[in-house]
Amino acid sequence: MNGCIRFDDIAFRLGGDEFLILLNLTNAMDKTGLIHRIAEKIRFEVTRPIEIGKTIIRVGFSAGCGIYPEDESDLMK
């Protein structure tokens, strides 16, 4: 996951299979587009099939995103 984010972003493991990624969007002109591109990179890497012996393992991926302060009122509901 760290290979999919930029040097000034931070990834945390919350527990189990839950992660939180804080993106530095300070200078981003297209915040939503940047979030989508990074999420797509992570989705691509996480969902690649893994071969162990003769078994192929696939995992799922889901993500939720919010931009502060634009989404602040939605987060408080």
Side-chain angles (χ1 to χ4, degrees), residues 31-63:
K31 294 176 183 178
T32 303
L34 178 60
I35 292 169
H36 283 277
R37 286 189 299 278
I38 292 173
E40 180 58 24
K41 280 187 192 177
I42 294 169
R43 185 204 60 79
F44 178 79
E45 290 299 324
V46 168
T47 60
R48 283 199 297 183
I50 301 167
E51 187 173 342
I52 299 176
K54 294 183 180 183
T55 303
I56 296 178
I57 298 172
R58 292 180 169 84
V59 297
F61 175 82
S62 63

